[in-house]
């Protein structure tokens, strides 16, 4: 999407550009702000004063809440505080409370309550609505029905309820337990009375709801208590019967079979240990007897004293033998003696061990028999205990059911006592913090705030409309647009001009003519603007244009065509003043009106002409017979007079006669300025543009679309090389500063001191000046 006025994406949000856009649209913004202020003033002056009365209540967490349900008696603190307060707000907004207020204050019959409020637009809309309803009823032509008084009364009640709800505001104060209730009405005393009645209706509804819920809970609890008592008795009796029928006798909370089994398990473990010990000793002695290795008995704790003594002797004999053998050798007499003693002691030990082995074998058999007996007893008890455990599962289930019924009975009994007490003294969770008093001043409307707010809204709307205008503005505004958007050289900015009423009195030399009072007279004076005001900025810009033309060389720019893309761009004005300037400054100049469709230049400068360009091209006369002296010395004009027999003179313009005429005229005049028709009006403009030496493109400032110029120039590629540049016409020199980039505004608006004074003297072509200039200036 292309950004307006040639700005790219990077600097589109530049603060200076935004401020410039605001200055450009300041009139629109101020106009909308003024309209907003007027609307605010009308609103304030026609609105009915409204009074707002406010009261506040607090949800007290310290008081016990009535029974919420039949499962528990809760307190308000056990529930999320935000949920509780929001729930009370919704209750206050309910139709039930509003209906109680309507009935309590008899608002259906209160005329103050039905007083219309609003402002003039509200009254108008209501009147229109009533009128439309009446017309619809007449069109339908429904048969009259007998009024139903009861139904009408009920409808009036609910209408009052909805009217009350619309005017009542119930809000929570921040995150506190406070709830604010306010009512806005046309009467201060009535507003306070309605708010206080609202609170009373809410508190009465709370107490009534608590009493009703407590009463219903008591009835339900009483029936439930009787049922629970009977269930508790039945479940306890079932437990006792089951114990007796299955011999589930318990001692200290444990079954007898369990105690016996525990004792036998201890004895069984001890018997298994005894069998293991006797078996290990018997195996050890048998190993020694079979291997005759008495040395392995060393360190064994045997209970036989004889064997212990023989072990000591055996060890001592072995020690002495080792000592003698180490000193004197194993064949020493004492060593042999000790070896013989060891053999004798070994034989004695083996004999004693044989008798001990028989004793250990007897002990092993006894321990083994005892272990087997204990095993049999334990297995018997396990089978008995397994059967008892299966029964015990059912017993425990019965005991749990009995305990549950007992607990429920005790709990419901306590709740029943509590609800009995609450029913006799119900408490409300809410209390009034501040009662409503009649307001001293109306809350609506607030004159200053309303007018300021309406003004701001109007200014914002004006800014939005201005932003839309900026977005839709695709016209050429600056020299940068000409260079970057059109690819052409900008030759200058022609300011919007007009002839002041006192020009003759100020000495500007304006000639008084008979037709000066009409539109053509004004156009005639504007066509001579350069001649009348040679030091103006308009003349300085045309001097810059002439220098740009002179840079091309005299032979390549002798015939100058003044062209525009669309009509009403001031092309004829520029052509006339350029010819006047060239005639004054450079030499003899011929001005040719080449606009075959709208020869406005001829109607202004040569209204009495009988012969013109078409007559020359048709061969009716020579060009030097048809030209006329211009309004200034050294300027001649070849007008264009329409001929009824040539409605479409394209063939004449395209012929060789026009080229021959230009060559012949070029020998007599230094410059020839041709006013060409608009490019998008017909084919004559394209034909004539190819016949001139160079072309000046006139663009109306702030009106001609850049897209249109690009499309037309792209379609006529042969014209662009001939184009010396573009001239912005009708520039508002005060507003153009807001469109130019910062730093270039002074260059764009700089001119001679006298030119600045002329521009200050002559207002721009905006508004009423454009209307005065008429068709000539609009071109």
């Amino acid at each position: 999407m292309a950004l307006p006025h040639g700005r790219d994406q990077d600097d589109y949000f530049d603060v200076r550009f935004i401020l410039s856009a605001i200055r450009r649209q300041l009139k629109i913004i101020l106009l909308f702000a003024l309209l907003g202020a007027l609307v605010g003033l009308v609103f304030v002056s026609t609105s009915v004063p409204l009074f707002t009365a406010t009261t506040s209540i607090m949800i007290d967490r310290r008081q016990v809440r009535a029974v919420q349900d039949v499962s528990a008696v809760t307190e308000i603190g056990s529930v999320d505080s935000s949920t509780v307060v929001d729930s009370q707000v919704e209750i206050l907004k309910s139709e039930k409370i509003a209906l109680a207020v309507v009935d309590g204050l008899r608002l259906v019959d209160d005329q103050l309550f039905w007083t219309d409020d609003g402002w003039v637009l509200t009254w108008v809309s209501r009147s229109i609505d009533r009128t439309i309803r009446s017309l619809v009823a007449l069109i339908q032509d429904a048969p009259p029905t007998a009024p139903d008084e009861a139904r009408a009364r009920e409808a009036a009640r609910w209408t009052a309820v909805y009217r009350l709800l619309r005017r009542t505001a119930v809000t929570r104060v921040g995150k506190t337990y406070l709830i604010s209730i306010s009512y806005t009405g046309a009467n201060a005393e009535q507003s306070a009375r309605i708010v206080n009645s609202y609170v009373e209706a809410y508190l009465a509804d709370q107490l009534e709801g608590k009493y009703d819920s407590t009463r219903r809970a008591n009835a339900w609890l009483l029936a439930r208590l009787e049922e629970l008592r009977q269930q508790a008795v039945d479940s306890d009796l079932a437990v006792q019967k089951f114990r007796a029928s299955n011999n589930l006798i318990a001692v200290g909370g444990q079954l007898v079979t369990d105690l016996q089994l525990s004792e036998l398990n201890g004895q069984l473990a001890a018997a298994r240990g005894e069998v293991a010990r006797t078996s290990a000793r018997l195996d050890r002695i048998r190993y020694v007897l079979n291997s005759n290795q008495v040395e392995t008995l060393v360190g064994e704790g045997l209970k036989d004293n004889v064997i212990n003594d023989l072990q000591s002797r055996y060890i001592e004999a072995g020690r002495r033998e080792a000592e003698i053998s180490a000193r004197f050798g194993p064949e020493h007499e004492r060593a042999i003696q000790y070896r013989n003693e060891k053999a004798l002691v070994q034989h004695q030990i083996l004999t004693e061990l044989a008798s001990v082995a028989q004793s250990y074998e007897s002990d092993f058999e006894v321990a083994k028999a005892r272990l087997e007996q204990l095993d049999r007893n334990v297995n018997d008890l396990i089978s008995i205990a397994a059967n008892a455990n299966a029964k015990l599962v059912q017993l425990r289930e019965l005991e749990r059911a009995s305990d549950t019924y007992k607990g429920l009975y005790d709990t419901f009994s306590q709740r029943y006592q509590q609800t009995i007490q609450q029913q006799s003294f119900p408490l409300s969770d809410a209390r009034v913090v501040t009662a409503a008093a009649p307001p001293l001043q109306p809350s609506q409307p607030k004159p200053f705030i309303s007018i300021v707010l309406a003004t701001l809204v109007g200014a914002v709307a004006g800014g939005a409309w201005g932003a839309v205008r900026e977005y839709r503005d695709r016209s050429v505004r600056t020299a940068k647009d000409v260079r970057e958007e059109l690819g052409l050289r900008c030759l200058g900015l022609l300011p919007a001009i007009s002839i002041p009423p006192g020009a003759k009195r100020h000495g500007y030399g304006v000639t008084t003519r008979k037709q000066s009072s009409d539109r053509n007279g004004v156009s005639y004076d504007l066509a001579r603007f350069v001649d009348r005001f040679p030091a103006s900025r308009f003349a300085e810009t045309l001097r810059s244009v002439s220098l740009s033309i002179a840079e091309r060389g005299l032979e390549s720019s002798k015939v100058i065509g003044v062209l525009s893309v669309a009509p009403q761009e001031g092309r004829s004005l520029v052509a006339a003043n350029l010819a006047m300037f060239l005639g004054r400054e450079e030499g003899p100049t011929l001005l040719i009106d080449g606009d075959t469709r709208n020869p406005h230049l001829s109607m202004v400068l040569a209204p009495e002409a009988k012969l013109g360009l078409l007559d020359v091209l048709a061969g009716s006369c020579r060009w030097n017979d048809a030209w006329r002296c211009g309004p200034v010395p050294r300027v001649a004009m070849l007008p264009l007079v329409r001929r009824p027999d040539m409605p479409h003179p394209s063939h004449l313009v395209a012929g060789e006669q026009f080229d021959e005429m230009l060559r012949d005229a070029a020998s007599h005049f230094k410059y020839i300025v041709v006013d060409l028709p608009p490019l998008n009006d017909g084919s004559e403009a394209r034909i004539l543009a190819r016949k001139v030496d160079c072309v000046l493109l006139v663009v109306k400032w702030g009106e001609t679309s850049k897209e249109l110029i690009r499309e037309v120039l792209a379609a006529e590629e042969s014209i662009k090389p001939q184009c010396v540049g573009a001239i912005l016409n009708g520039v508002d020199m005060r507003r153009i500063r807001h469109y130019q980039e910062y730093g270039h505004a002074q260059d764009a608006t700089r001119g001679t001191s006298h030119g600045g004074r002329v521009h200050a003297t002559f207002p721009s072509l905006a508004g009423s000046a454009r209307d005065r200039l008429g068709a000539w200036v609009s071109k």
Side-chain angles (χ1 to χ4, degrees):
M1 179 182 68
L3 299 179
H5 314 309
R7 301 186 61 84
D8 55 19
Q9 187 68 26
D10 294 334
D11 61 352
Y12 181 70
F13 290 104
D14 182 46
V15 175
R16 291 170 297 182
F17 172 74
I18 295 176
L19 293 177
S20 299
I22 293 175
R23 287 194 296 267
R24 291 194 294 269
Q25 305 298 330
L26 186 59
K27 292 182 180 179
I28 296 296
I29 296 175
L30 293 178
L31 177 61
F32 275 79
L34 179 60
L35 292 177
L38 292 177
V39 172
L41 185 61
V42 172
F43 171 76
V44 170
S45 60
T46 59
S47 295
V48 176
L50 299 178
F51 298 86
T52 301
T54 304
T55 185
S56 58
I57 61 175
M58 186 180 74
I59 307 300
D60 197 346
R61 301 177 69 247
R62 295 172 297 177
Q63 300 196 38
V64 179
R65 192 184 178 106
V67 177
Q68 298 286 333
D69 49 38
V70 296
S71 62
V73 177
T74 62
E75 292 185 357
I76 194 170
S78 62
V79 186
D80 180 41
S81 59
S82 178
T83 304
V84 172
V85 179
D86 291 341
S87 300
Q88 299 306 309
V89 169
E90 295 302 320
I91 292 175
L92 282 165
K93 293 180 180 179
S94 65
E95 298 172 352
K96 180 180 179 181
I97 304 298
L99 187 61
V101 175
V102 169
D103 293 340
L105 296 178
R106 297 182 179 180
L107 296 180
V108 175
D109 303 323
D110 193 341
Q111 297 300 323
L112 286 176
F113 179 76
W114 296 101
T115 301
D116 289 335
D117 54 5
W119 60 307
V120 62
L121 291 183
T122 306
W123 296 341
V124 171
S125 63
R126 289 175 181 171
S127 301
I128 293 174
D129 180 68
R130 286 193 293 266
T131 303
I132 293 175
R133 291 178 181 273
S134 301
L135 292 176
V136 170
L138 290 175
I139 293 173
Q140 292 178 350
D141 195 16
T145 57
D148 189 345
E149 184 176 353
R151 183 178 298 177
R153 184 72 178 178
E154 188 66 17
R157 286 181 65 216
W158 283 104
T159 303
V161 166
Y162 294 129
R163 184 183 181 88
L164 178 63
L165 289 175
R166 285 196 304 269
R167 297 184 175 188
T168 305
V170 181
T171 56
R172 180 183 180 183
V173 182
K175 296 183 178 180
T176 65
Y177 290 92
L178 292 176
I179 299 176
S180 175
I181 306 171
S182 60
Y183 173 81
T184 302
N187 183 271
E189 289 76 11
Q190 187 188 56
S191 299
R193 187 166 59 253
I194 289 177
V195 168
N196 291 326
S197 178
Y198 220 101
V199 174
E200 293 174 2
Y202 167 72
L203 295 178
D205 180 74
Q206 292 290 300
L207 293 177
E208 182 180 355
K210 292 177 185 295
Y211 178 80
D212 184 63
S213 61
T214 304
R215 179 179 55 80
R216 285 186 281 116
N218 285 340
W220 185 87
L221 284 173
L222 185 61
R224 186 61 177 160
L225 276 175
E226 183 63 27
E227 181 181 354
L228 288 175
R229 185 187 65 79
Q230 186 62 38
Q231 289 176 348
V233 172
D234 294 343
S235 61
D236 194 13
L237 183 60
V239 169
Q240 301 303 325
K241 288 182 179 180
F242 189 81
R243 283 182 179 275
S245 61
N246 292 280
N247 295 322
L248 298 177
I249 307 301
V251 177
Q254 191 173 7
L255 295 178
V256 174
T257 54
D258 292 341
L259 294 174
Q260 292 176 350
L261 183 60
S262 177
E263 184 179 354
L264 285 178
N265 282 331
Q267 294 178 6
L268 181 61
R272 287 175 178 170
E274 183 65 23
V275 170
R277 285 193 299 273
T278 55
S279 176
R281 290 178 179 177
L282 180 60
D283 292 340
R284 183 65 174 169
I285 292 174
R286 286 175 179 174
Y287 173 75
V288 173
L289 290 177
N290 293 331
S291 60
N292 294 327
Q293 295 180 2
V294 182
E295 293 83 355
T296 58
L297 288 174
V298 177
E300 292 287 342
L302 299 177
K303 297 180 180 180
D304 195 332
N305 294 329
V306 176
I307 294 177
N308 292 334
D309 293 339
L310 290 174
Q311 283 182 337
S312 299
R313 287 176 59 192
Y314 182 81
I315 294 171
E316 182 64 23
R319 184 181 63 78
R320 289 181 178 276
E321 180 191 4
E323 290 178 357
I324 296 300
S325 298
R327 287 184 180 183
F328 306 105
E331 299 301 330
H332 191 272
E333 179 181 1
R334 295 292 294 177
I336 295 172
Q337 183 180 356
Y338 282 124
R339 279 198 296 273
N340 293 334
E341 185 179 356
K342 281 178 61 179
L344 179 62
V345 173
Q346 181 181 7
H347 178 70
Q348 292 175 355
I349 289 174
L350 293 174
T351 302
E352 288 296 329
L353 282 176
S355 61
V356 171
Q358 292 178 358
S359 175
Y360 278 5
E361 187 173 356
S362 177
D363 292 341
F364 174 71
E365 292 296 334
V366 172
K368 186 177 179 182
R370 186 169 180 275
L371 177 62
E372 292 175 354
Q373 182 61 36
L374 287 173
D375 263 338
R376 287 193 294 272
N377 293 339
V378 168
N379 291 332
D380 293 341
L381 282 176
I382 286 175
S383 62
I384 295 173
N387 187 25
N389 287 336
K391 300 295 183 181
L392 191 60
V393 173
Q394 301 179 15
L395 177 64
R396 289 174 180 170
E397 182 66 25
L398 293 175
E399 288 177 344
R400 281 195 294 270
S402 177
D403 293 340
T404 300
Y405 285 125
K406 289 179 181 178
L408 287 174
Y409 180 77
D410 293 339
T411 302
F412 273 77
S413 178
Q414 295 175 2
R415 293 173 189 166
Y416 180 72
Q417 296 300 325
Q418 292 174 354
T419 54
I420 286 295
Q421 296 175 4
Q422 281 188 336
Q423 185 176 3
S424 61
F425 186 67
L427 297 176
S428 174
D429 296 335
R431 60 186 179 89
V432 179
V433 177
T434 304
L440 301 179
Q441 295 180 350
S443 58
Q444 297 177 13
K446 297 180 179 180
F448 179 76
I449 296 178
S450 300
I451 294 175
V452 170
L453 183 60
T455 303
L456 291 177
V457 172
V460 171
W465 179 245
V468 172
R469 293 184 62 191
E470 286 288 321
Y471 177 77
R472 297 183 60 185
D473 187 6
R474 294 293 184 267
S475 61
V476 180
R477 292 285 186 177
T478 63
K480 184 179 179 181
D481 292 342
V482 177
R483 293 192 304 269
E484 297 183 358
E485 300 291 339
L486 306 181
L488 299 175
R489 179 184 177 186
C490 183
L491 301 180
L493 308 179
L494 291 175
I497 59 175
S498 62
I499 303 298
K504 184 175 180 180
R505 184 177 65 251
H506 290 292
Y508 293 118
V510 177
T511 304
T512 302
R513 303 176 66 217
K514 181 179 179 181
Q515 68 272 25
S516 62
S517 59
D518 59 10
R519 187 171 61 184
N520 286 343
V522 175
S523 300
Y524 178 82
D525 294 334
L526 290 176
R528 298 185 57 193
F529 190 84
V530 174
D531 181 51
R532 306 298 175 86
F533 309 106
S536 64
R537 179 177 176 81
F538 192 90
E540 291 294 331
T541 303
L542 290 181
R543 181 174 288 107
S544 175
V545 172
S546 67
L547 292 176
S548 300
I549 296 173
E551 292 176 357
R552 297 172 57 92
L554 184 60
E555 296 302 326
S556 61
S557 58
K558 196 174 185 68
V559 182
I560 305 169
V562 181
L563 184 66
S564 65
V565 172
Q568 309 299 326
E569 296 198 35
R571 177 195 70 256
S572 299
L573 173 67
V574 175
N577 281 277
L578 179 61
M580 304 294 175
F581 178 82
L582 293 176
R584 285 173 53 94
E585 301 291 336
E586 300 295 336
T589 303
L590 176 63
L591 175 62
I592 300 177
D593 187 358
D595 192 349
T596 58
R597 295 181 179 272
N598 185 22
H600 189 74
L601 193 60
S602 299
M603 290 186 291
V604 172
L605 297 180
E608 300 88 359
K610 303 300 182 180
L611 299 176
L613 177 64
L614 295 181
D615 298 285
V616 175
L617 297 180
S620 301
C621 64
R622 293 180 53 82
W623 70 271
N624 48 12
D625 296 330
W627 68 271
R628 301 169 60 86
C629 292
V632 298
R634 298 198 299 176
V635 175
M637 180 182 178
L638 180 59
L640 190 147
V641 180
R642 289 183 177 179
R643 298 181 58 173
D645 57 337
M646 297 181 185
H648 301 289
S650 302
H651 62 286
L652 294 178
V653 175
E656 293 293 334
Q657 294 85 352
F658 192 84
D659 296 331
E660 294 177 358
M661 183 198 70
L662 290 178
R663 286 194 296 269
D664 191 11
S667 62
H668 295 80
F669 295 93
K670 186 174 182 180
Y671 288 100
I672 300 174
V673 179
V674 183
D675 180 19
L676 303 178
L679 278 174
N680 64 348
D681 256 11
S683 60
E684 291 86 355
R686 299 173 178 83
I687 297 172
L688 291 174
R690 298 187 183 96
K691 295 180 179 295
V692 299
D693 297 332
C694 62
V695 173
L696 297 179
L697 181 63
V698 178
V699 178
K700 188 63 175 292
W701 181 82
E703 293 187 10
T704 309
S705 171
K706 292 177 282 190
E707 287 78 1
L708 175 62
I709 298 175
R710 284 197 296 265
E711 291 177 2
V712 173
L713 292 181
E716 299 295 332
E717 297 180 355
S718 61
I719 297 178
K720 194 168 184 180
Q722 291 180 279
C723 187
V724 179
I727 304 173
L728 287 182
N729 182 39
V731 179
D732 188 338
M733 303 308 292
R734 290 178 297 178
R735 293 179 57 197
I736 194 173
R737 301 176 185 178
H738 306 321
Y739 291 94
Q740 291 173 321
E741 296 291 341
Y742 184 79
H744 296 283
Q746 295 180 353
D747 297 337
T749 57
R750 187 182 295 118
T752 62
S753 59
H754 185 67
R757 288 196 301 272
V758 172
H759 176 66
T761 304
F762 304 140
S764 67
L765 290 180
S768 60
R770 180 177 299 172
D771 297 334
R772 295 198 313 270
L773 294 179
W776 167 265
V777 180
S778 64
K779 289 184 64 182

